[in-house]
Each structure stands twice: as C-alpha cells, then as structure tokens.
C-alpha cells in the first residue's frame, strides 16, 4: 500500500516536471527566431547579444549552416579571425550556398588577416569547384596566383573572369605576360613572414632572386619547395630553367631524372629539354622537344621562336615560317597589350589600340582575350555600333568554349607534323663540365686611367632636367649625348666631337649650349676649337657619325638631333660649313643614332638615320606609375618613328629613298645601329637595335654596284629579331666584331635591367644564335641597364674584349651603375674583371651613355671615350702594362669610297689567323676611330696581310713590322709607314 502511494507520487511529480518543460520550451524562441535576433543584433553591432543568440541556436542545432556562418561573421566583427575561420570550417564542403559562402569568407580571412596564401587558395578553389561563376573566388584566385607568379595556373581563372564580364587591361596584361610575370616583392615578403614554409610565396621570392642575380639563394629556395611539393610544376620548371641557364649541367641532369611523370603534360618541361638539346648541338632532338612544347601550349613564345630557328638550320624553311610567324605575332600582341596597360592611370584607353588588340588576339586564336578587348572597347565607346557588334560576335563565339587560352586549330603544331624526329632521353650524368675562370695575372695587367681633365677636356651633357629634383621625367631626358672620333685636320692625331643638349623647347637663336669639337694637339692635350671650326650646333643633339661624304679626304660630320639633323662639310682648312639645307638631309624626326657609309656600292657614302619615338606629346608627357608617382616614360607609351635613308647623289645632294630601299618597316623604335659586310658579299647590311620591339636586320640586296639601294628585313629568319626566348628586348648599344676567332662578325647588344645583354654568335650559315649564357655574359649583366658597348683588344692578345657603360633611365638610388669590362678568355668566353686595378673609373657609378673607341695618344693601345648623363665625359687611357705585339692600320679607298666601310683584313702570323672588319654606326650614338689596331699576343712574325676592299679587289702584303702605324691605299702595293 505504501509502495503504491509512493509510485503514484513519483508519477505525478514527473508529470508536473514534464508540463513545466513543455511550458518552458513553448516560451523559448525557435531556431529561426534566434537566427533572426542574432542577425538584427549584429546589424546593430550589438555583438554580445548576437553571440548569445547564435550560441543558443547552435545549442539547439549544432550543424546549422546559417548559424555557423553568422557565428563566423560575429567573430570577424570582433577581429578574431582564428575563431571565425573555425566556425566557417565547421560547414561541410558540400556545394550548398552556405558552404560556398563559408569557403569564400574563410579564404578572405586567410588571405587578408592571417596571410596564409596556400590555405586561402584552397578555400577559394573549393568555392569555384562548386560554383564556377563565383566572381569573388575567381578574382581572389587570380590575385593569389598572380602574386605568386604562377602564370600557367592563372590562365583559366583569368579567362573565367572575362567570361563573367570582368575584363580589364590589367587582367589581359597579366595573361600576356606569361613567364615574365613579376611579384610585388614587399607584399610577398609579408606573406612569407606569416607562413615561412608556404610554397607559393617561396616560389615568388625565388623568381625575384633570379631577377636580381641571386642564383644560389634561388636554387636553395626552389629545392626546398620541390622536396616538399614534387608535383608543384611551376617550381620544378623554375628550378630546371635556372640550373640550365647557369650551366650547372650535372645538377640539371640530377633534377631532370628525379621529375615525377605527371610533369610530362606541361609545355615547360619540353621547352627545357629543347634548350638542353640546343646547348648539346642536337638540333633534330631540339626541334622535336620544342614541337612537343607547342603541341601543349601554342602560345609558348620561346618554343615557337626556337623551333623556327632550328628548322631553318635544318633546311626546313617552309615549316619554320609558321612557327616564326607565330612568335612574331605573339610579340606584337604583347606590345599592344603593354601599350594599353600603360594607359590605365591616365584613363586614355585608345579605341585604335583596343581595336588592334581585338584583331591581333583573334588572329592568334585567343578568342577569350578578343572578347575581353571587345568588352573594353564597348565600355570606351558605348555608342559605337562597331564596338557593340564586335562584343556580340565574340560573345557568341565563346558560348560553350572551353576555358583554354588558344583555339586548337590556331596551333601550328597541329598542321605541321614533326613526330618523325627523335625523342632521345636526356643523359643521367655528364662526364666533363667546363668552367670559366680567370687568373689573377689577367686581372692585374689590364688598367685604364681617366685623363679627360688632365688633357684639357671639360664637357658635360645638358639635358634640361634637374636630376636631383625632377629626375628624368620626360622620355627624351634619358637618351643623353654621343661622341665621334675624327681626324678633322688630317694631322694623324684623332680629335673628339661631343654632342650637346639644350633648353627645351629648342630656341634656334640661343647658343648657350653647343656641341663641342676638341682638337688633339699630339702632346697629351686637347684644345676646344669649336668656335674656330664655325660649327654652331645648338639643337637638342643625340648621336653623331663621321664620314667623308664627298670623298675629298677630309672627315665630315652628321649630327642626329631631335627635330632636325645637321650635316657639316669639312672645308679642309680647319673649318666646317653647314650644308644641311643644300644636301637635303635634315630629317624632321627624333634621330638617336646615325651612320655614313656607301650602301649601294657606287663609291659615295650614304646616310642612315635611326629614329626613335613619335606622337603629339612625346616631348611633353610626364608619366606616372600605378601609385601616381612620377617616373620616366617608357617606349610603349608612344608610337615609333620611321627610320630614314638618304642616297648620296655624288654632287653634294642627297635623296631620301626610305620607301624605295625597303627599310620602311612598322614599329621600329631605334636606338643603335651597325653597318657591316656580314656575309662577305661586298655589300653593307644593317643591324638596328630597337627598344622593346623586334630588332631589324636589313640585308643588302642591291642588284649591282651603283644601282638603287634595296634592302630586305630578315631579322626574324636570321635569329636577330629577339633573344633566345623569342622576346623583344629594350635594345640600345651594339658592339660588332669577331669575338670567337672564326672570322665572322658577331654582335653584342645591351638591354634593359633584368633582361641581360645579348650575345649573337654568327654561324657559317649566316644565321645568328643567342649564345649569351654559353659565353658567360648573361648572369653578370642581368642587373644592369646597358647603353654604349664596344669590342676591342685591351691587352693586344688577339682576342676581342668587351666594355659596357651602364646607367638607368630614371632617378633613384640605384640609377647610377658601374661600367663593366669583360676579358676574352681566348675561345669567345668572357670573364668580368672587377679588381680595383682596372682603374678608379670602374669603381665609380655613372649614368653612362655613348661609348667610342680610339687610340688617342697613339701608343698602340686602344683607349675609349664615354659620355655620361650626370657627369663630365671620360677620356680613358689604356694603361695595361704587359701587352702583346700589334700593328696599327688605316685604309684609304680609291675605287671604293674613301672611308672603305665594309673592308676587312685577314692577318696571318706564325701561330694564328685573325680577321678584322671595318664597320660604321658603332652602336649607340657613337662613331669609332676608323683604324685597325691588331694585337697578336706573343707571336713573332707577320706572315701575310690580305685586304679585301668593298670594291671587290684584294691586296696582299708580306713582312710587315710590329709596333708600327701604316696606311694602305686601295690599288697601291706599298704600305706607307706613318
């Protein structure tokens, strides 16, 4: 009875409790109500209340995606990104809208707050996997991959942004950059500090180290990355390219043998194999490797260019054309993209340039990019029917198109089958690895002394800018002045001419700043004789050249100016007459460099004017970078100016024959030039160094001596248009000479910072090969911006050494740069000498510009003269103490023009044969002394000397004495000692 009572009591008690629970639960808000209250509290920034409501919600429904999202948002407002990410990560990656939003939110925090790039990338990739149209995720992925310089992985996301209607000049610019993509170094360093082991920032830092010549550090970083992430192909390819570029052959083969099989799908590995085969002189294998690269990526510029060049050497010229044409078209498109990108800050997108980008991208099969440019054109010209039609057409063409950069049928490798060529395996090791080294003796014996002040020369170039205050704010401020060597009074001592700038705009009535002519007195002194020679050159002068245009035996001067060149005729009595008007050689463009030489073989020297930039504001525009900071304008900001050729009529008059001669080629932005008989034909061909566009190589095809001059532009098929990667460089100075002793004229071209200078080896097939790395001239010049350069034999050992003067085009702490001297090791390989024994000049930084060679003190040692932008000119005297024997020779033509540009000497001693060529133009705004100084080292006997004249005649001389200066006259069998 008692038990039954207690049992009933317990039942009643539990029932009461249950009733209270039901009442309590009825009185509590629902999950939806808690969510709404939390959202309202968060909107009112009442974070505590919002947190309480969300906490209650997650107690009821721990897996509420909405609750977890809101909890994360609350922590974002509190500034606790760690907790916020924790809440977002609790939402499963199942493709629901909440899950996608959670991935984006977490990615944004990891990117901006935690600075963990790889983790942020993973979150955004998850979002895109489930929602390909997610603009935020696609945009952030393009940002991350671009910052990490992962150019290939970047492509599909950039294309998707275009598909989603978010084209921009910047986005299209990054697509076109490809392997040239650079990081924001300060920003990437911040990400690296936050996550020192994150592979993406490490890759970007390594690439930046490569740009700055820190190869050892870059290799260490890249090896660290690939050891942890062997399938990270962008890092693998960067490491392989670097090991190959710096000739670490054994390390390169070790790297190659350890690659995972999956990397075979990437074009880059095939390009690297092709480069290896080129270095090993296995041309058929190289062609196959590059073809395989193009099959995978038709936009691989280097592979297209290299394959075209190799096919020419394999006598498969027709097949070569398709690949070379594509390489050139890719370069033109890249230049157009750069031009549009350069105008972002000024909001001056030019419809003409946008139309060009549309047409060029379409011709390359880059249809997604065509759509992007059409979109920008429509935004720029909203009322243009053409812009609307273009956008509509490409919108239809891309409907359903895969997110690949190029259409398959635009790939030349699809129509040209090279599968019959071998695919050899790379060796696993190398037997002998050559190294380049220099002895201390080499470095101790070569020395130079600046004797400008001591010899009486005091001259500085005036460019009408204040470097300390304004910098080089206008594009014409950076080019500087030139220098020429001439014996204007025929006394046997070389005189010096320096060009001068002036206040801008030019005032023809002002003579405040004048070009200067210094007469060599023959006693170690020079005298300023400008006034007595009646040369009054008061325009904004650039380069200068020397030649005897009327064949009277006296050197004349042609001056390159901005807006009006001048020709000064040497009267033979120590004075000059301005004959510009009567000779009709003024030009009306911006001429930088120039030359006088007989270009059609009629015996009369003609004139070639290298012209640079044009446009209505080319001399007034002040450019700024993306941060609004003033900077020097770039050539991409302006259209090119067409070069000009003036034919000497033989009566003091010239006729412009630019169009008829074949030199009218679009997009030349010339800075340097050399004329030489490159092929032994007796005709002068022309190499023009262009700034940021393809170089020109005008092959002389004049039908007969005295016929109208005719040239064919063949830089692309001769290997001179681009560097080994098939890219145009900012080319300036040019040195011409036989660097490797094979009797052929090689070319060395100075370029912009981070491009390295380029050494073009002349092969027996009249083809030029970029051998910069193999002759040891790449790594040492990457961090420099070169201008004037010359080959000359400093120690008279018979091997041509190399000198370069450097200096930037903008004003910054790193603008001034050291000059460089490279000693020829004897086989065409070069070693940079850096010891103080070279002289104080090489220990000082300058803004070097024009450079001309001369033996000004007639001691048989080659000296040189340099103009600077920021300091007086230098007249360098060769002080080398231990030298070889030499013979100094100058030539005079009778059947040929008096200057005999194009003549060559074949010099045979008891131990070797040397060939030297007389050239004109001499690179950047300079004109060398027209004299051969031939060193033969310790050789004891000159067995013979053969002169090949431009007329075609040949003469031989025996038993010539060492240490003498002689003159040889065409047709005269006697060598006159001077």
């Amino acid at each position: 009875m008692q038990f039954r009572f207690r049992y009933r009591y317990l039942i009643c008690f539990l029932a009461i409790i249950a009733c209270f629970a039901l009442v309590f639960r009825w009185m509590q808000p629902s999950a939806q109500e808690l969510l709404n209250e939390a959202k309202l509290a968060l909107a009112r920034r009442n974070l505590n209340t919002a947190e309480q409501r969300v906490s209650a919600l997650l107690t009821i429904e721990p897996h509420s995606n909405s609750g977890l999202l809101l909890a994360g948002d609350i922590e974002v407002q509190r500034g606790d990104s760690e907790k916020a990410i924790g809440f977002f990560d609790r939402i499963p990656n199942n493709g629901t809208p909440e899950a996608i939003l959670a991935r984006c939110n977490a990615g944004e925090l990891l990117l901006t707050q935690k600075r963990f790039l790889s983790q942020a990338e993973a979150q955004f990739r998850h979002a895109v996997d489930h929602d390909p149209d997610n603009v935020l995720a696609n945009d952030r992925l393009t940002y991350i991959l671009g910052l990490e310089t992962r150019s290939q992985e970047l492509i599909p996301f950039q294309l998707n942004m275009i598909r989603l209607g978010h084209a921009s000049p910047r986005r299209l610019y990054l697509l076109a950059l490809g392997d040239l993509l650079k990081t924001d170094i300060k920003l990437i360093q911040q990400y690296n500090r936050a996550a020192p082991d994150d592979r993406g920032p490490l890759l970007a830092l390594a690439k930046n180290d490569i740009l700055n010549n820190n190869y050892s550090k870059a290799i260490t970083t890249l090896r660290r990355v690939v050891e942890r992430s062997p399938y990270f192909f962008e890092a693998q390819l960067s490491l392989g390219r670097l090991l190959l570029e710096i000739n670490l052959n054994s390390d390169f083969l070790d790297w190659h043998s350890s690659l995972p099989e999956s990397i075979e799908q990437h074009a880059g590995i095939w390009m690297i194999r092709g480069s290896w085969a080129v270095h090993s002189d296995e041309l058929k294998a190289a062609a196959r490797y590059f073809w395989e690269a193009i099959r995978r990526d038709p936009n691989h510029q280097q592979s297209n260019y290299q394959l075209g060049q190799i096919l020419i050497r394999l006598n498969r010229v027709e097949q070569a054309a398709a690949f070379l044409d594509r390489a050139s078209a890719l370069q033109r498109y890249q230049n157009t993209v750069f031009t549009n990108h350069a105008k972002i800050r000024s909001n001056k997108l030019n419809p003409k340039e946008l139309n060009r980008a549309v047409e060029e991208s379409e011709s390359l099969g880059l249809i997604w990019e065509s759509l992007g440019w059409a979109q920008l054109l429509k935004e720029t010209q909203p009322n243009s029917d053409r812009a609307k039609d273009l956008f509509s057409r490409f919108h239809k063409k891309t409907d359903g198109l895969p997110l690949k950069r190029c259409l398959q049928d635009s790939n030349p490798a699809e129509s040209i089958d090279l599968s019959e060529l071998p695919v050899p395996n790379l060796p696993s090791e190398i037997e002998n690895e050559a190294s380049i080294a220099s002895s201390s003796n080499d470095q101790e014996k070569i020395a130079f002394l600046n004797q400008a002040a001591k010899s009486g020369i005091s001259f500085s170039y005036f460019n009408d800018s204040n470097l300390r205050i304004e910098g080089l704010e206008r594009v014409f401020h950076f080019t500087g002045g030139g220098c020429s060597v001439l014996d204007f009074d025929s006394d046997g001592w070389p005189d010096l001419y320096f060009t001068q700038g002036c206040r801008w705009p030019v005032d023809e009535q002002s003579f405040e700043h004048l070009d200067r002519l210094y007469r060599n007195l023959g006693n170690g002194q020079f005298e300023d004789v400008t006034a007595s020679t009646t040369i009054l050159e008061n325009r904004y002068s650039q380069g200068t050249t020397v030649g005897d245009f009327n064949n009277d035996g006296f050197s004349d001067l042609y001056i390159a100016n901005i807006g009006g060149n001048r020709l000064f005729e040497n009267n033979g009595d120590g004075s000059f007459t301005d004959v510009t008007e009567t000779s009709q050689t003024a030009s009306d463009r911006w001429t930088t460099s120039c030359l006088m030489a007989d270009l059609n073989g009629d015996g009369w020297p003609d004139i070639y004017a290298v012209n640079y930039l044009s446009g209505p504001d080319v001399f007034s525009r002040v450019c700024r970078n993306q941060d609004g900071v003033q900077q020097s304008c770039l050539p991409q900001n302006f259209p090119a100016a067409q070069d000009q050729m003036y034919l000497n009529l033989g009566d003091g008059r010239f006729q412009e024959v630019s169009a008829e001669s074949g030199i009218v080629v679009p997009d030349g932005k010339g800075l340097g030039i050399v004329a030489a008989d490159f092929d032994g034909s007796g005709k002068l061909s022309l190499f023009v160094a262009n700034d940021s566009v393809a170089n020109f190589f005008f092959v002389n095809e004049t039908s007969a001596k005295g016929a109208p001059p005719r040239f064919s532009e063949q830089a692309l098929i001769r290997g001179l248009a681009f560097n080994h990667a098939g890219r145009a460089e900012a080319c300036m100075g040019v040195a011409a000479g036989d660097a490797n002793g094979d009797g052929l004229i090689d070319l060395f071209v100075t370029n912009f910072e981070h491009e390295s200078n380029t050494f073009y080896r002349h092969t027996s097939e009249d083809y030029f090969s970029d051998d910069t790395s193999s002759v040891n001239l790449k790594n040492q010049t990457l961090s420099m911006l070169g201008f004037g350069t010359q080959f000359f034999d400093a120690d008279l050992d018979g091997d041509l050494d190399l000198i370069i003067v450097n200096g930037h085009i903008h004003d910054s702490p790193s603008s001034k740069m050291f000059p460089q001297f490279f000693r020829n090791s004897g086989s065409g390989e070069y070693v940079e000498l850096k010891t103080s024994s070279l002289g104080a000049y090489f220990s000082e930084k300058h803004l070097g510009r024009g450079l001309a060679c001369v033996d000004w003190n007639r001691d048989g040692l080659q000296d040189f003269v340099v103009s600077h932008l920021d300091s007086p000119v230098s007249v360098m005297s060769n002080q080398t103490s231990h030298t070889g024997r030499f013979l100094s020779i100058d030539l005079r033509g009778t059947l040929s023009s008096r200057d005999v540009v194009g003549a060559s000497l074949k010099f045979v001693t008891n131990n070797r044969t040397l060939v030297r060529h007389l050239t004109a133009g001499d690179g950047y705004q300079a004109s060398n002394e027209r004299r051969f100084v031939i060193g033969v080292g310790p050789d004891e006997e000159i067995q013979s000397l053969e002169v090949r004249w431009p007329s075609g005649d040949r003469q031989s001389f025996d038993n010539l004495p060492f240490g003498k200066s002689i003159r040889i006259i065409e047709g005269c069998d006697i060598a006159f000692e001077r």
Side-chain angles (χ1 to χ4, degrees), residues 476-495:
F476 66 98
H477 284 160
F478 82 78
T479 48
C483 46
S484 277
V485 181
L486 72 161
D487 182 5
F488 83 96
D489 53 3
S490 297
D491 65 353
W493 292 91
D495 311 305

Side-chain angles (χ1 to χ4, degrees), residues 534-554:
T534 65
I535 293 178
L536 290 177
E537 176 50 84
N538 61 345
R539 295 175 181 172
Y540 203 103
S541 299
Q542 302 282 271
T544 170
T545 193
V546 174
D548 186 358
F549 80 86
N550 53 9
N551 287 325
D552 65 354
F554 295 98

Side-chain angles (χ1 to χ4, degrees), residues 577-597:
T577 299
D578 183 352
V579 295
T580 310
E581 185 174 350
T582 57
S583 66
Q584 301 177 25
T585 55
S587 177
D588 58 352
R589 302 171 191 179
W590 178 0
T591 303
T592 51
S593 295
C594 51
L595 63 79
M596 270 195 276

Side-chain angles (χ1 to χ4, degrees), residues 817-829:
M817 296 178 173
F818 293 112
Q820 293 174 289
F821 181 89
F822 291 87
R823 185 177 185 274
N824 191 325
S825 65
S827 60
E829 296 172 336

Side-chain angles (χ1 to χ4, degrees), residues 236-251:
Q236 287 279 22
L237 298 182
S238 293
L239 178 57
R241 279 195 300 266
L242 178 56
L243 294 174
L244 185 59
E245 284 286 345
I246 62 177
N247 299 318
L248 294 179
N249 294 326
S250 295
D251 288 356

